[in-house]
Amino acid sequence: MFGKGASSSKSMEIIGSEKKFSVLIVDDDPIIRKIHSALLSKFTKEIQEVKNGKEAVDLCRSGASFDIIFMDKEMPIMNGLEATKELRAMGVNSTIVGVTSCDLSSERNDFIAAGQNQCYEKPLTIEKIKSLLSELNKNN
Amino acid sequence: MAGSSLQQQIASMRQSLFDEGLLNEQFIELEKLEDASDPNFVKNVINVFLTDSLKNVTGIEESLLHLKADEPLDITELGKFLHRLKSGCLGIGAKKVPIEVEKMLQCYEAGDMEGMKTILPTMKQEYNILENKLEAYFELLPHIEPGQSSDPPSKGSTSSGE
């Protein structure tokens, strides 16, 4: 399930029972950005959003780093697969989670081949995020 | 008593969104995200959806029917509109609209423009029904007076409708 790039460049700090981690939401859909931001705010306050893969690449190139990047697939300018390849080529080893509105069974191989660690169908839910965090904590 | 009647009307409208197969459980997930720090979260999301999806539906129609005769058909733009519309629909828990959009996307992938044109009227009809129902429901919600619960009596109940 978790291939290359599984370990985050920033270790997840656990302070008491509160886990601190940073996320980047990459999606051209403002509705999805709003929903996923609200969902993830139940788990962390360190959330940033960008509208396409190029903005994500530029942000990471400027020095920003994230524990988890939620990457939409279909986006203008630079799609999620292209952005993932670019980020991995840059040496970004954040956990990258693909998010797609397409059928996951036909998309999964593309996601993993591009360098993503995991993928989900839209929209994310509390249960999917809990499952993801549980996996990450196990691996860390 | 007027407040109670209004609450019942809102509850009934909300239930009808599920009973008529317009929304699925994802809408309930959105409602769960609403809290004291963001009490208008669902309304705000729906407002963004209605604005964005209208642009996408219009864009799909203009592209397919080539309404802008002085501009060539931009097939990439058409695909962008379709994906964005489907994405937004999935986000709010719309049920019928993304089914039609998915059919159009399959035609799009196959290069079947005529197929997309055939599905377009149904997709628009389903979108218009959803849009009208959502607008009517959220128009009523702010009229709950302070002290009254905005939770309808049967909140959390849905039709399986599958």
Side-chain angles (χ1 to χ4, degrees):
Chain A
M1 183 188 297
F2 289 96
K4 64 177 178 180
S7 60
S8 170
S9 58
K10 283 178 63 176
S11 59
M12 290 195 192
E13 303 162 18
I14 300 177
I15 299 178
S17 61
E18 186 187 290
K19 300 183 178 89
K20 286 189 166 185
F21 59 94
S22 58
V23 302
L24 175 64
I25 298 169
V26 188
D27 203 306
D28 64 318
D29 187 343
I31 303 155
I32 293 295
R33 288 200 306 273
K34 195 167 175 65
I35 293 170
H36 287 177
S37 182
L39 253 177
L40 288 161
S41 70
K42 307 297 181 191
F43 298 90
T44 179
K45 297 305 171 196
E46 295 183 46
I47 301 170
Q48 285 192 52
E49 305 172 22
V50 292
K51 296 193 292 292
N52 58 60
K54 184 177 184 305
E55 288 186 12
V57 169
D58 290 344
L59 188 57
C60 290
R61 189 167 280 134
S62 73
S65 65
F66 303 93
D67 291 297
I68 309 174
I69 299 175
F70 290 94
M71 183 78 75
D72 182 26
K73 188 191 173 198
E74 300 289 345
M75 291 180 288
I77 304 175
M78 184 184 284
N79 68 37
L81 298 182
E82 292 165 349
T84 300
K85 289 175 189 170
E86 187 75 24
L87 290 171
R88 292 302 188 213
M90 284 163 53
V92 170
N93 58 1
S94 305
T95 296
I96 301 180
V97 179
V99 186
T100 179
S101 56
C102 302
D103 175 38
L104 197 55
S105 56
S106 62
E107 304 276 294
R108 184 177 291 276
N109 288 342
D110 290 342
F111 283 131
I112 302 302
Q116 293 182 357
N117 301 96
Q118 179 56 290
C119 45
Y120 292 105
E121 285 183 11
K122 283 184 188 181
L124 294 173
T125 62
I126 294 276
E127 290 311 311
K128 287 176 186 174
I129 294 171
K130 281 183 181 173
S131 167
L132 173 69
L133 293 178
S134 174
E135 283 290 336
L136 290 174
N137 283 331
K138 221 189 299 179
N139 288 344
N140 283 337
Chain B
M1 296 307 141
S4 174
S5 170
L6 179 59
Q7 269 187 288
Q8 285 178 348
Q9 187 181 357
I10 289 171
S12 174
M13 283 183 77
R14 180 182 174 279
Q15 191 58 44
S16 74
L17 291 168
F18 297 102
D19 292 344
E20 292 172 25
L22 297 175
L23 295 177
N24 61 25
E25 293 77 10
Q26 170 60 21
F27 187 78
I28 298 172
E29 294 298 316
L30 293 188
E31 291 176 324
K32 288 179 187 173
L33 291 175
E34 201 162 80
D35 58 22
S37 66
D38 198 352
N40 296 312
F41 172 74
V42 180
K43 187 176 179 215
N44 291 339
V45 168
I46 295 299
N47 281 341
V48 174
F49 168 75
L50 291 175
T51 304
D52 200 58
S53 56
L54 180 60
K55 283 185 210 166
N56 293 320
V57 170
T58 304
I60 291 165
E61 186 172 31
E62 285 180 354
S63 297
L64 267 182
L65 302 184
H66 222 164
L67 295 181
K68 292 183 179 177
D70 57 338
E71 292 177 15
L73 170 64
D74 186 338
I75 197 79
T76 306
E77 198 73 357
L78 174 59
K80 186 192 91 174
F81 289 132
L82 287 166
H83 279 292
R84 276 280 288 265
L85 181 58
K86 184 180 175 187
S87 174
C89 285
L90 292 176
I92 69 151
K95 265 180 84 172
K96 293 185 179 179
V97 179
I99 290 175
E100 301 305 319
V101 177
E102 179 56 35
K103 290 178 190 171
M104 295 183 77
L105 273 167
Q106 287 175 9
C107 290
Y108 172 80
E109 296 296 331
D112 182 4
M113 299 297 288
E114 290 308 310
M116 279 193 275
K117 287 178 186 176
T118 305
I119 301 165
L120 178 63
T122 306
M123 185 274 279
K124 279 190 65 183
Q125 184 180 33
E126 293 296 348
Y127 173 75
N128 288 333
I129 292 170
L130 177 65
E131 180 189 42
N132 291 335
K133 283 274 189 175
L134 286 174
E135 283 178 344
Y137 173 63
F138 283 96
E139 202 168 320
L140 272 186
L141 275 185
H143 293 153
I144 295 289
E145 289 175 12
Q148 286 182 323
S149 169
S150 61
D151 289 346
S154 58
K155 187 169 188 178
S157 66
T158 66
S159 168
S160 55
E162 296 285 355

